[in-house]
Amino acid sequence: MSRPPILDPLEAYALWAPHYPARAHNPVMQAEERAMLALLPGSLSGYSVLDAGCGSGRYVLHALARGATRVTGVDASPAMLYRASEELANLPASATVELVQGDVTQLPMPNAWADLTLSGLVLGHLDDLESALAELRRVTRPGGQLLCSDVHPIGHALGWLRDFRSGGQRYAVRHITHLYSHWHAACAALGLEIEHVVEPMLDPSDIPEGARFDPVALEVPVAIVFQLRRTP
């Protein structure tokens, strides 16, 4: 199979957004989400939660399901924000929810706004990990928690792509590999404590019958999840 065109994230998500569900819709995302939710506090009552790179609103919905008082989703893609607005349109008004266009490296939030900051499968789209983490730290209150995930670096080494189909054509989203050493160095420089690192594996039961996939994917971690704490 020939390699698909590699698109800039904004270009890619403009094509992908109309068909992008607000749920984990492939085995890698399901593995990533299980790890993220296991680290997410069981109750978010009283929390202000930021979903940085919210996409179609997957983690906005999870935060609301756990009782978050205020949730803001920020994404650079207008198409994905529109998709998120469709998903959130019929929710009961039990919490304050806002969707805002903005870049993860220049978030439209005041300092120390969030009690909890989430960023799921986003930072691999960005060249400069430290700059992005510095901005996520800025908007998180001292002592607050950050949960960040990415496709595991081993996947990139094996040639895996974040691909999708639109209009009968296969495309892939540009992805930058950030190694664990990059995360460790950036967190040390920024005053972010690494509390937990989880490297989830695929669950074979998530793989649809007849799906074409690299069998090595069952033997290696497919995502990496960091639980970070902003030190005072």
Side-chain angles (χ1 to χ4, degrees):
M1 182 182 294
S2 61
R3 288 178 68 85
I6 308 295
L7 304 181
D8 172 88
L10 282 179
E11 184 181 6
Y13 286 114
L15 294 174
W16 200 354
H19 317 290
Y20 200 105
R23 57 179 173 79
H25 55 268
N26 61 53
V28 172
M29 291 181 73
Q30 289 168 314
E32 174 266 350
E33 185 173 282
R34 281 191 290 270
M36 286 279 280
L37 295 182
L39 295 172
L40 194 66
S43 172
L44 296 175
S45 178
Y47 278 61
S48 293
V49 178
L50 170 65
D51 185 356
C54 65
S56 57
R58 179 166 61 116
Y59 283 116
V60 171
L61 291 168
H62 282 301
L64 292 172
R66 297 199 181 194
T69 301
R70 182 171 59 164
V71 184
T72 294
V74 176
D75 203 280
S77 168
M80 289 297 274
L81 286 173
Y82 180 77
R83 185 74 188 85
S85 71
E86 292 180 320
E87 293 288 342
L88 296 168
N90 297 318
L91 290 179
S94 56
T96 300
V97 183
E98 186 178 20
L99 298 173
V100 183
Q101 187 176 355
D103 193 281
V104 172
T105 59
Q106 291 182 307
L107 290 165
M109 321 290 294
N111 294 346
W113 182 91
D115 300 300
L116 169 68
T117 296
L118 307 171
S119 189
L121 300 177
V122 174
L123 299 183
H125 292 320
L126 306 175
D127 294 303
D128 190 336
L129 177 65
E130 185 171 334
S131 292
L133 287 175
E135 186 66 352
L136 296 179
R137 179 191 182 279
R138 179 188 69 80
V139 300
T140 306
R141 67 167 174 81
Q145 186 182 85
L146 299 86
L147 288 179
C148 302
S149 67
D150 199 3
V151 176
H152 200 282
I154 199 169
H156 187 83
L158 292 169
W160 301 347
L161 298 173
R162 296 180 68 174
D163 59 345
F164 65 98
R165 299 191 72 85
S166 178
Q169 171 71 44
R170 180 169 169 254
Y171 300 95
V173 189
R174 178 176 61 86
H175 185 265
I176 308 298
T177 299
H178 301 305
L179 302 176
Y180 177 79
S181 59
H182 301 155
W183 283 84
H184 187 276
C187 289
L190 295 169
L192 288 170
E193 179 185 353
I194 300 176
E195 295 187 323
H196 293 288
V197 180
V198 183
E199 299 174 274
M201 308 277 286
L202 287 185
D203 184 336
S205 67
D206 290 334
I207 300 171
E209 186 176 352
R212 298 178 62 181
F213 73 103
D214 183 353
V216 175
L218 291 171
E219 302 172 8
V220 298
V222 295
I224 189 164
V225 177
F226 289 85
Q227 179 180 298
L228 310 175
R229 183 79 57 182
R230 177 178 171 177
T231 54

